[in-house]
Amino acid sequence: MKEHTIKTNFLSCDWKELPEKEQMLVQLAKQMTQHSYSPYSKFSVGAALLLKDGTIVKGSNQENAAYPSGLCAERTALFSANSNYPEQPVVALAIACYTEGHFLATPGSPCGACRQVMIETEHRYGEPMKIILYGEDRTLVFHSAADLMPLGFFAEDLLG
Ligand code: THU
């Protein structure tokens, strides 16, 4: 039996230290929390992503009385991008979480299902997707979705 360690890389910073384009994505993700439909959790999540050609696609979490029918902000934005711009790689995705009257001080972390969709999108286009997790006090930047999802499941795994 052998023990293994997986390391991952990310940056932490104040969001004002981000390049201008990424600050704009963060601003849009923050704005999108206001479009969240989250009467059940009262936890509003906004997402804004940048496509390679400069197009921006936005999303927010959408809940439902039949709870599992709802969808996270990240997947709402990613599926919209992949549906409307199937030829365009997603190069960056910013996420912001708002609850109880304020944005989270330390960022909310994307759920496993969203990470799975992120790595499939990244893999599909063969380009790294930067993930920016906004927090009022501290923002985290992952250079690639794969850094958030080690040992992910890919199409090749279906081949056995
Ligand atoms: N949520 C997201 O939109 N993104 C995440 O990464 C985590 C959770 C949403 C789902 C649900 O509407 C609410 O936040 C509470 O879990």
Side-chain angles (χ1 to χ4, degrees), residues 37-38 41 43 45 60-63 71-74 109-111 114:
Y37 177 65
S38 44
S41 71
F43 189 82
V45 186
S60 61
N61 58 327
Q62 299 295 315
E63 297 184 350
L71 196 64
C72 293
E74 297 90 322
S109 201
C111 77
C114 287

Side-chain angles (χ1 to χ4, degrees), residues 22-136:
E22 293 173 19
Q23 284 193 32
M24 182 202 54
L25 272 189
V26 165
Q27 298 266 35
L28 292 171
K30 290 175 75 176
Q31 284 171 18
M32 284 306 288
T33 62
Q34 291 166 29
H35 293 200
S36 161
Y37 177 65
S38 44
Y40 307 104
S41 71
K42 301 187 173 23
F43 189 82
S44 303
V45 186
L49 61 79
L50 178 66
L51 301 180
K52 196 171 185 178
D53 70 355
T55 303
I56 285 171
V57 177
K58 300 176 284 180
S60 61
N61 58 327
Q62 299 295 315
E63 297 184 350
N64 194 281
Y67 292 176
S69 304
L71 196 64
C72 293
E74 297 90 322
R75 275 176 291 161
T76 303
L78 283 165
F79 289 150
S80 174
N82 296 341
S83 302
N84 290 296
Y85 307 96
E87 309 304 330
Q88 285 299 317
V90 181
V91 294
L93 168 64
I95 300 148
C97 300
Y98 182 93
T99 191
E100 293 175 350
H102 58 84
F103 288 98
L104 297 188
T106 51
S109 201
C111 77
C114 287
R115 293 177 196 215
Q116 182 65 34
V117 172
M118 288 174 195
I119 59 163
E120 176 113 7
T121 303
E122 192 171 77
H123 198 242
R124 170 177 174 182
Y125 295 107
E127 301 225 11
M129 186 196 305
K130 201 177 248 196
I131 308 295
I132 304 158
L133 306 179
Y134 169 77
E136 290 265 272

